[in-house]
Each structure stands twice: as C-alpha cells, then as structure tokens.
Amino acid sequence: MTGIGDDPFVTAVKPLVDAMGGEMLPPDQAGADDVVLSWEGVDVVAVRLPQLADSLDHILAALERKQGKPLADLDRKAKQEVVRILEARGAFSVRHGVETVAGALGVSRFTVYNYLNRENAAKGQ
C-alpha cells in the first residue's frame, strides 16, 4: 500500500477489501476497472477487485480458516452448511464453481449437486 499511508479511512475499509481478496493502491495508480474510494471529497484509496475465480478461492480459504481445519475434513452436515454459504455468495455462478468446491470439500460434483438440491428443496417447503 505504498503511497496510502496510515489514513483512518484506509484502515477502516482494509478488512472489507481483504475479505473480498482485493488489493489497495494509491488512487493515482488506479486502472479503468479499479474502484476509487473518496472521503469528504478527496480520493483516498483505489481498490482492485479480484477476478471471480480468484474470489472463489479466497472465499474457500476464508471458510477453511473459520472452520479451523481443511474443508475436506468437515463432517457431512458442516459440508452442507459450507455449500449453503457458498451458494448464497454466488460461488456456483462462477465457471467451474461446482468442481472447485467439490475439490475443496473432498467430495464429488454429484455430492455438491445433491447438497444444492437438498438446500433448494428445503427452501421450497
């Protein structure tokens, strides 16, 4: 974050940017696809958002940290909950999302689809 300093606004938004897997940089280094955040009329920081596929990897890593162990080591119920969380966050709209999640959970694509179908059936009741 060279050139941004210890601005309180930057400190405040950093956890959000980190959670998204984004990168913070000085506003004058912003590219066309970056988001420049302003505070009180002054451009303070630019945020470079990750590609969707990178976001899914970042979300999986964050869930693993939260669980305190590899997602593949979770029991069936916990894996179903992870799939529910990922569906709510749009993970399955990413190309190869089901395959990526199945690999992280140590299950087959078929199992992930079963978890999704089970969740969707529960919503419909």
Side-chain angles (χ1 to χ4, degrees):
M1 287 191 324
T2 309
I4 298 173
D6 293 324
D7 187 284
F9 180 77
V10 172
T11 302
V13 299
K14 185 175 184 335
L16 176 62
V17 174
D18 289 347
M20 294 183 321
E23 176 186 353
M24 299 174 83
L25 51 145
D28 61 349
Q29 293 180 17
D33 293 332
D34 296 333
V35 178
V36 177
L37 302 177
S38 300
W39 184 253
E40 297 180 348
V42 177
D43 291 346
V44 179
V45 65
V47 177
R48 182 160 294 153
L49 300 173
Q51 298 298 315
L52 283 177
D54 294 337
S55 292
L56 179 53
D57 290 339
H58 192 80
I59 292 167
L60 288 167
L63 285 170
E64 197 163 89
R65 282 191 304 275
K66 185 176 180 180
Q67 295 292 330
K69 59 182 169 181
L71 297 178
D73 292 348
L74 298 176
D75 64 26
R76 183 171 163 263
K77 185 175 180 179
K79 288 179 182 182
Q80 289 172 334
E81 178 64 13
V82 166
V83 168
R84 186 196 64 73
I85 291 167
L86 291 169
E87 182 181 28
R89 295 189 69 182
F92 301 109
S93 63
V94 176
R95 185 175 177 172
H96 303 298
V98 171
E99 292 86 348
T100 301
V101 171
L105 293 175
V107 299
S108 69
R109 288 177 31 223
F110 181 75
T111 298
V112 172
Y113 284 118
N114 280 340
Y115 291 169
L116 287 168
N117 289 336
R118 179 185 176 126
E119 178 66 24
N120 290 333
K123 287 179 187 175
Q125 293 178 347

